[in-house]
Amino acid sequence: MPLVESEKIWMDGSLVDWKDANVHVLSHGLHYGSGVFEGIRAYATENGPAIFRLEDHVDRFFNSAKMLLMEIPFSNEDIFSAIKEIVRVNSLDSCYIRPIAFLGYGEMGLNPLLSKTSVSIAAWPWGTYLGEEGLQNGIRAKVSSWQRHDPNSVPPAVKCTGMYVNSSLAKVEAIKSGYDECILLNPQGEVSECTGENIFVVKGGTLITPPISSGALDGITRASIMKIASDLGYEVKEQTLLRSDLYVADEAFLTGTAAEVVPIASVDDRVVGTGKPGDMTKQLQSSFFAIVHGEEKRYEGWLEYVR
Ligand code: PPE
């Protein structure tokens, strides 16, 4: 799917035309993967576009930078308002938002401390990440032959551009072997997450997701689903999972900002449950979509209205 362009991109404090949002080929981030980013969505509501859990995304953005000792030359408040502004100026009702901070042009060589950080924020309409069919009926997943990063090589908690080579390898493996998505295990063989999503299973009525210490990103959709499920009265556990736990789960699904909430129909060709989206999955999926569209007043605190 080609990118649907919008008009303006926020770059280091100014609004520039989409086509002019360029960087130098000797930018540090391009050579060494020295960038941190976020993926955020805004959804249409009856009060105009609302950004989902903006504060949490901005906090995670700054924490990623902190872990890399990357200095962001803007305050948390500056980035928060710039994100709202970019949705507003592009007159977008619903969109995906991509803030990125990366080391720019200035010095080459591995030492990142010599380069200045550039920040940009783009927003554009982005439809269903894993396809409408997947969202409705579930996707076919495969356990990847690639492992998630060991926390002593690159911390999985950092949403850093360079570490997505690992996710891309796994994504390509999935596609080339006829699956929709890969699940990655950590070096100890525990389930961590998918290429760009967290993973959940349902077993005996309990909702289970691997702990962050298994190498998963502290997903904001993950945290939202855990809260929604517990508000609905379900038992929710963070528990280490092995790949065999996925094979015999009653239900499974993945969560992410881009992907949203997507049922998993099979893992390594083992049908999960009935192979159709399970009851809890469907209920959590529909609550999630109602909440992001502003239809559930008790979760209003998660919405940041743009107008
Ligand atoms: N794990 C990984 C590795 C990941 O990249 C994401 C988000 C998640 C879990 C879910 O986190 P959250 O969005 O806070 O619920 N992946 C982003 C990038 C996707 C892309 O293709 O680019 C996203 O969903 O925006």
Side-chain angles (χ1 to χ4, degrees):
M1 249 189 304
L3 255 171
V4 180
E5 296 183 5
S6 49
E7 266 177 53
K8 299 282 184 193
I9 291 182
W10 188 96
M11 269 184 109
D12 296 319
S14 329
L15 292 173
V16 301
D17 287 343
W18 179 281
K19 63 171 179 16
D20 297 328
N22 303 313
V23 296
H24 197 277
V25 291
L26 292 183
S27 296
H28 194 281
L30 186 60
H31 294 257
Y32 307 114
S34 46
V36 298
F37 68 99
E38 272 302 314
I40 310 173
R41 272 190 192 271
Y43 290 91
T45 75
E46 61 179 18
N47 300 314
I51 303 174
F52 187 61
R53 302 194 71 167
L54 178 56
E55 201 178 322
D56 299 302
H57 281 284
V58 175
D59 287 346
R60 191 172 66 185
F61 186 57
F62 277 87
N63 281 334
S64 288
K66 180 178 184 183
M67 285 185 267
L68 294 187
L69 282 177
M70 183 187 279
E71 206 70 64
I72 295 188
F74 295 94
S75 68
N76 189 300
E77 294 72 32
D78 292 338
I79 299 299
F80 187 91
S81 13
I83 291 172
K84 287 174 70 173
E85 185 185 9
I86 204 66
V87 177
R88 206 165 38 231
V89 298
N90 286 302
S91 310
L92 294 161
D93 270 340
S94 64
C95 59
Y96 184 80
I97 308 159
R98 171 56 58 84
I100 183 168
F102 59 95
L103 296 186
Y105 171 78
E107 290 269 355
M108 287 302 268
L110 272 172
N111 181 1
L113 304 173
L114 304 170
S115 296
K116 281 230 292 253
T117 311
S118 280
V119 185
S120 70
I121 307 165
W124 67 92
W126 204 10
T128 331
Y129 187 68
L130 292 171
E132 195 55 41
E133 160 68 22
L135 196 74
Q136 297 303 327
N137 299 317
I139 55 141
R140 294 180 64 236
K142 175 189 189 310
V143 174
S144 181
S145 63
W146 299 100
Q147 288 178 356
R148 186 44 102 212
H149 296 285
D150 182 292
N152 291 314
S153 55
V154 193
V158 185
K159 211 166 158 56
C160 159
T161 57
M163 53 188 289
Y164 279 82
V165 171
N166 175 245
S167 286
S168 288
L169 284 167
K171 188 77 197 184
V172 168
E173 179 181 357
I175 293 166
K176 293 271 185 201
S177 33
Y179 296 82
D180 303 301
E181 184 55 300
C182 262
I183 298 159
L184 290 108
L185 308 180
N186 69 13
Q188 288 70 46
E190 302 161 358
V191 174
S192 64
E193 56 179 343
C194 304
T195 64
E197 306 91 6
N198 291 108
I199 188 165
F200 284 87
V201 300
V202 177
K203 188 71 182 171
T206 300
L207 183 65
I208 307 167
T209 191
I212 297 307
S213 55
S214 288
L217 183 74
D218 194 354
I220 290 166
T221 322
R222 173 184 181 274
S224 308
I225 287 295
M226 289 169 76
K227 170 80 174 118
I228 298 165
S230 106
D231 289 350
L232 287 167
Y234 292 114
E235 192 189 346
V236 181
K237 276 204 263 186
E238 290 183 88
Q239 186 185 294
T240 307
L241 294 173
L242 300 176
R243 75 194 280 177
S244 49
D245 295 320
L246 306 177
Y247 297 164
V248 294
D250 301 329
E251 304 181 27
F253 61 90
L254 52 81
T255 63
T257 299
E260 301 167 311
V261 180
V262 178
I264 298 174
S266 66
V267 177
D268 293 338
D269 302 312
R270 277 80 168 177
V271 171
V272 174
T274 62
K276 300 251 175 323
D279 290 339
M280 200 195 296
T281 305
K282 284 194 285 190
Q283 191 183 10
L284 293 171
Q285 196 187 40
S286 70
S287 299
F288 175 79
F289 283 116
I291 291 166
V292 297
H293 286 108
E295 292 155 21
E296 295 261 10
K297 293 301 158 217
R298 72 189 283 199
Y299 297 98
E300 274 288 305
W302 284 351
L303 305 184
E304 181 64 33
Y305 291 97
V306 165
R307 288 183 201 136

